[in-house]
Amino acid sequence: MISKLFLKNGWIGLILIAAFLIRIYNFSFPAFTFEEARIAYRGYTIATDANDELGRPLPLVFNSLSDYQLPLVSYISAGGQLVFGKGDFGVRVPFILLGTLLVYLVYLVARNFNPHSFFSVLSAIVVAFSPPLIFLSKTPNEVIVLTFFFTLLFYLLVKKNIWFAALVIVAAVLTSKLAWFILLPFVVFTSFFYSKISNKQKLILISFCAILLVLTVLLFLKVPQSERSFKENNFPLFDAITIKNGIDKLRGQGLQSGWPPPVDRLLFNKTHFLSTGFLHWLSNISPSYYFGRVDNSGTVSYSFIGALSKVLILPFVLGVFFLIKKGMRRERLILFFILLLTFPYFFLYPNFKGDLVILTLPFMALIISYGFMQMRKKWVIVVLSLMVAEVGINIFSLASEYKNTADLRPFWIKELSFEIVESSKTIKTAVSDDIAFDIAPYLGWYTEADPQSGYLKIDWAYKFRQYQFGSIKVIGSDESFKSCGSDERMRVFASKRDLEKIEKEFEVRIEKRYRDINKENKVYLTEGACI
Amino acid sequence: MIKKIYLILLVIMLLGIFWRFLKLADFPVQLNHDEVTQLYDAISVAQTSKDVYGNFLPFIFHSVGDFKPPFYTYITGVFYMVFGGGELTIRLPGVLFGILLIPAVFLFTLRLFKNNKIALMAAFFTAVAPFEIFFSRKSFENGAGIFLMILGFSSLLYYFEKKVKVRYLYIASLFFGLAIYTYFSHAIIIPILLSVFIFIFRQDFHSRKNIILPVLIFLLFFIPLLILTFTNEDSRNRTQAVFVTQDLNLVKEINLGNRIKATLDFSWNRYLDQFNPMYIFGNGLDFTNQGPLGVGPLLLIQLPLVILGIIYLVRLGDFNREKKFILAWILIGMLPSGLTFEPHSPHRSIMVFTMLNVISALGLYLLFKHRKLIVVLFILFIINYLYFLHMYFVNFPFEKSENIHYPFKQVALFAWSQHGSVDQIIFDPLFGETAPVIGTAAHYYMAYYGNFPPSKFQKEYRTGEKEREVLFDKFSIRKVEWRDDQYLKNVLIIGSRWSLPIESINKSKVVKTFNYYNGQPAFYAVKL
């Protein structure tokens, strides 16, 4: 009886504990990128005085250096800090919980997909040990939230719970623009092939989803720069100058060589945008991203590992093989979710971000588990052991990770931010804008600076970089320096760029050097130079 | 019925012959540095039994900054003896093996699937696939290796059918034995794949006694190669020079942490990236500088066929030996490309693309009953193929002729036309439209296009004291130092704008300008 109970609940309990422990291990890792720091800081300002970091009261569209940010993640960050206070704990815990819950959710989905308890346990293990899902559970970001919502939506639809499904659709719409492109086909596909809801319910849900999306897009189009936001972040394919110029150039060469113009027009035309988008889409879900490397930069995952452990390619191949060969239709169709969830890659040429690959991981886990089911148990144990070993090495041995992400995730900037803000309390202080991709969020997040001092109240900030944070001046590349007069005093935290600029003009005393993890001098504290 | 099948095969072969011979002398627009070195070495061996550096019947041919396996050079030597030393001599063996591969793939596919239609379709894709035409026409040695390898495996499969005919085992040994001498990676890949094949089909080798002697024959070929590979420093250097550890990104990663982990992670990722659809169906042959606009080893229209082919293969019967072998072929075949320093090297993956052609044939076979679909597919194929032809015959020369050292031939011919009127000819092969690159094998171009006797070249060729200088006859191929060289007398200097201050040189002294294929100036001949 006890063993049966353990078999039923014990394994998933153990997996959830393991997943949670992996996610809280080395709690302050990874250090935040400037965008994550911005979300964290924004959460704090919202939690304290209901304004975002630019001083706007409870907005629905936020600023970031890449695109407009949708609200949900920022409000989750605010919620965490409302409960736990400002700090790593408050920001990271909601996402850790979400990441751990995702494991359980996949377990539930798998149980509906295949009644064998072994299958659902294996699916949960795969998700629990997926490197990017571990990584993203530790930072405030849209991807983990969206992955959670799509898995939840699938589960709710399978469970015929359309009212909660509708709520999740709303939540996903408010999480990321990427969801806008995936939701409708996802809902249609899942409703028709996996859900046993009545046709009337299907119609209601699909209509609701479609109307919501149309309204959202229409509302979004009212926002200044929204068209630019779509073009730059969701449809860069159609602005790809390489393709435009390539078509003209190659066609021109044909004409120069005497090929008939109609043939040249037939061969080189706008359909190249489609073929490029199509191949870009498929290339971004190629095995190298799943089992090789998903993100070399360290933005959405550990830098030197794929979205899944290398060894899982074996059950994956077996899974695909046997799904095609003898899987039931609803089992086979799970393969389409990979294509469906990554569809926006079609328009994202030439960019690649691992986010859409990560959305597919719960469904990949089902395919992999299907493969596991075809293997002998001893081989399953071998594969799982190798998986745990590889993921463990990447999680516990982080020296090269720290070095690789020294600029993107600057650990060292915490101390610097603190000193900059302290300095600004007594003396005019300036800081170079190239010591990090964006210094302002770090200043707000890592220090006790008064949020209101940074409020600029810009209505629709898009890709806005803050050059004044309270009394701290952020120095752009166009600034020039002069020697401070007798009644002037200024402390400059200069990057190499600005130090060279200063030293070209006059001599300056370097008070302190700040080094990154690679022992490279990144910032020089100077006195005597004024702007 | 059989007559009809062979008639169709003949038509397919004629199609293959047509695309391989169409304007063969003009496209590629010039012999590339590999072709010219192999051709001149072949002439040298045929005339003197030594390569241009005076090595007697070498096992590995020194190229420029590279080494060449022996098979292709020797076979070109035979062609030289028959057809003479014209440019086409180097391209004919490649074309010949490319054409012969069509019936070889037919036989191989027939043995594998026992289906004439699938075999014919595989032959068709072999006849027309971009990578087949591209590599056949540029006389690439790997083609001969694939041909011999396919014949080897076909012979083994044939032996399984005709159980008593042990001679097919001997024939297979011979083919494999020759194939490992065609291309460096074949020396590793063929023994591995052969071992996997023997393991997979172990029950079909009726008697162990039957295979002992054929294996010994193969070892007779293989062991000398193994010994020479390990003892020959050039061969080891060649392997090290192209290994993945030469990749600068990997070097950077190694500097960040653990060497072994970094190398394993990096190589694995590179290996998997060989299966990238953009590379295989989009722009893998690197015909243009226009990003995604290009041609892959396979036509884009083959992408759905490959997917369908895989589905068909998976659903067809059990996970039988044939399927295991195809999978092994693809996985092992991608190893050379995945473990070398270039992100993608299609020339190292030809055997995989050949198998993907076979899989495309399976996909096409699956669709064959759907007439309307086939008509649509046929129209799309024609457009896709026209696109490939346009790319190959028009855009590739415009965009990439510099990579095959265009216009070195014109430079060499002009230099020889001035040979009698000057004391020395200095050629600086530093060139490039957007960035300076040192063209290799310039001395081969000069020697070959001047019909310079290899026996004389062997004696006269030497390195000089100046930077990058090699000398023979009146030729000095080196860096031009204009500050000093401008005072030379009765000398012809040929250089690009990277080495000559062409604006400040008296126009009357500039006797000739050589253009890139796109009409932009590449080199100037200055007579002092």
Side-chain angles (χ1 to χ4, degrees), chain A residues 242-243 246-247 249-250 253-254 256-257 259 264 267-268 272 275-276 278-280 282-283 287-288 291-293 296 304 310 313 321 324-325 332 349 393-394 400 403-404, chain B residues 253 256-257 261-262 265-266 268-269 272-273 276-278 281-282 288 290-293 300 303 311 314-319 323 383 386-387 389-391 394-395 398-399:
Chain A
T242 329
I243 304 176
I247 291 169
K249 196 163 185 184
L250 299 175
Q253 289 166 358
Q256 210 177 323
S257 303
W259 277 57
D264 263 335
L267 299 178
F268 298 98
H272 280 285
S275 58
T276 301
F278 179 62
L279 285 173
H280 183 67
L282 293 190
S283 297
S288 61
F291 307 102
R293 297 227 170 129
N296 229 3
F304 306 111
K310 293 179 185 63
I313 197 167
F321 184 90
I324 294 173
K325 190 165 178 56
R332 274 206 305 272
Y349 177 85
I393 288 169
N394 279 276
S400 44
K403 287 180 189 168
N404 188 48
Chain B
E253 278 184 27
L256 289 176
K261 183 180 177 297
D265 283 346
F266 189 89
W268 171 249
N269 189 50
L272 290 181
D273 198 40
N276 188 324
M278 181 68 98
F281 303 97
T288 74
Q290 311 304 326
L293 304 190
L300 182 59
L303 172 59
I311 292 171
V314 168
R315 302 186 85 165
L316 187 78
D318 298 325
F319 189 49
K323 283 184 205 171
I383 295 171
L386 259 178
Y387 174 74
L389 294 175
H390 193 287
M391 278 279 173
V394 176
N395 306 118
F398 267 101
E399 300 263 315

Side-chain angles (χ1 to χ4, degrees), chain A residues 156-193:
Chain A
L156 292 171
L157 288 175
V158 171
K159 284 285 175 192
K160 300 196 274 186
N161 196 335
I162 66 159
W163 302 114
F164 274 113
L167 265 182
V168 173
I169 289 170
V170 174
V173 165
L174 294 173
T175 304
S176 163
K177 263 201 292 171
L178 283 175
W180 302 357
F181 300 92
I182 307 167
L183 266 170
L184 190 60
F186 185 91
V187 170
V188 171
F189 191 76
T190 312
S191 305
F192 277 96
F193 294 108

Side-chain angles (χ1 to χ4, degrees), chain A residues 65-306:
Chain A
L65 281 198
S66 53
D67 193 5
Y68 281 125
Q69 250 172 18
L70 297 192
L72 198 74
V73 172
S74 296
Y75 286 102
I76 292 175
S77 161
Q81 293 182 74
L82 207 59
V83 178
F84 300 111
K86 188 183 184 187
D88 260 7
F89 199 78
V91 182
R92 293 186 197 255
V93 160
F95 295 92
I96 288 174
L97 291 176
L98 218 55
T100 311
L101 265 178
L102 178 67
V103 177
Y104 187 64
L105 198 55
V106 170
Y107 172 80
L108 295 177
V109 167
R111 268 204 331 198
N112 277 283
F113 188 71
N114 186 317
H116 202 295
S117 62
F118 194 45
F119 181 86
S120 41
V121 166
L122 285 167
S123 304
I125 292 175
V126 171
V127 171
F129 284 89
S130 161
L133 290 178
I134 297 170
F135 190 90
L136 291 175
S137 298
K138 293 160 74 73
T139 61
N141 66 86
E142 294 171 351
V143 185
I144 192 76
V145 180
L146 212 54
T147 310
F148 181 83
F149 283 146
F150 274 110
T151 316
L152 182 61
L153 185 56
F154 181 82
Y155 178 71
L156 292 171
L157 288 175
V158 171
K159 284 285 175 192
K160 300 196 274 186
N161 196 335
I162 66 159
W163 302 114
F164 274 113
L167 265 182
V168 173
I169 289 170
V170 174
V173 165
L174 294 173
T175 304
S176 163
K177 263 201 292 171
L178 283 175
W180 302 357
F181 300 92
I182 307 167
L183 266 170
L184 190 60
F186 185 91
V187 170
V188 171
F189 191 76
T190 312
S191 305
F192 277 96
F193 294 108
Y194 290 90
S195 180
K196 286 180 181 154
I197 54 176
S198 67
N199 284 342
K200 192 179 163 193
Q201 284 175 315
K202 276 177 198 161
L203 191 70
I204 290 171
L205 192 70
I206 291 166
S207 309
F208 168 75
C209 185
I211 291 165
L212 179 71
L213 286 170
V214 169
L215 283 176
T216 309
V217 171
L218 287 177
L219 274 176
F220 185 73
L221 285 172
K222 299 270 178 206
V223 174
Q225 313 254 35
S226 55
E227 280 180 35
R228 187 179 156 204
S229 158
F230 271 132
K231 265 170 107 175
E232 290 177 349
N233 301 290
N234 303 101
F235 299 101
L237 171 72
F238 300 118
D239 268 344
I241 206 79
T242 329
I243 304 176
K244 274 183 187 167
N245 288 346
I247 291 169
D248 291 341
K249 196 163 185 184
L250 299 175
R251 191 193 285 175
Q253 289 166 358
L255 294 174
Q256 210 177 323
S257 303
W259 277 57
V263 176
D264 263 335
R265 269 199 296 277
L266 173 75
L267 299 178
F268 298 98
N269 51 49
K270 286 182 178 165
T271 55
H272 280 285
F273 285 96
L274 300 181
S275 58
T276 301
F278 179 62
L279 285 173
H280 183 67
W281 173 28
L282 293 190
S283 297
N284 284 334
I285 49 172
S286 70
S288 61
Y289 290 112
Y290 282 102
F291 307 102
R293 297 227 170 129
V294 68
D295 175 24
N296 229 3
S297 70
T299 312
V300 294
S301 184
Y302 299 90
S303 311
F304 306 111
I305 191 167

Side-chain angles (χ1 to χ4, degrees), chain B residues 420-441:
Chain B
S421 62
V422 290
D423 295 335
Q424 195 185 20
I425 297 167
I426 300 169
F427 175 41
D428 186 348
L430 183 79
F431 77 133
E433 226 183 319
T434 51
V437 177
I438 301 167
T440 53

Side-chain angles (χ1 to χ4, degrees), chain A residues 53 74 141 161 181 305 319 370 375 386 445 461 484 493 500 508:
Chain A
E53 78 281 13
S74 296
N141 66 86
N161 196 335
F181 300 92
I305 191 167
Y370 201 85
M375 294 166 77
L386 288 171
W445 174 243
C484 291
F493 290 83
E500 278 170 5
V508 74

Side-chain angles (χ1 to χ4, degrees), chain B residues 32 34-35 38 66-73 75-76 90 93-94 97 135-136 138-148 179 181-184 186 238 347 350:
Chain B
N32 66 37
D34 282 332
E35 286 176 314
Q38 281 184 314
D66 195 7
F67 303 96
K68 294 280 171 200
F71 183 87
Y72 202 84
T73 307
I75 204 97
T76 306
I90 185 69
F97 285 114
F135 287 114
S136 291
K138 71 179 280 206
S139 69
F140 187 61
E141 61 263 31
N142 198 348
I146 304 290
F147 167 71
L148 293 167
Y181 285 88
T182 55
Y183 197 58
F184 283 112
H186 286 345
R238 171 67 167 66
H347 54 287
I350 293 179

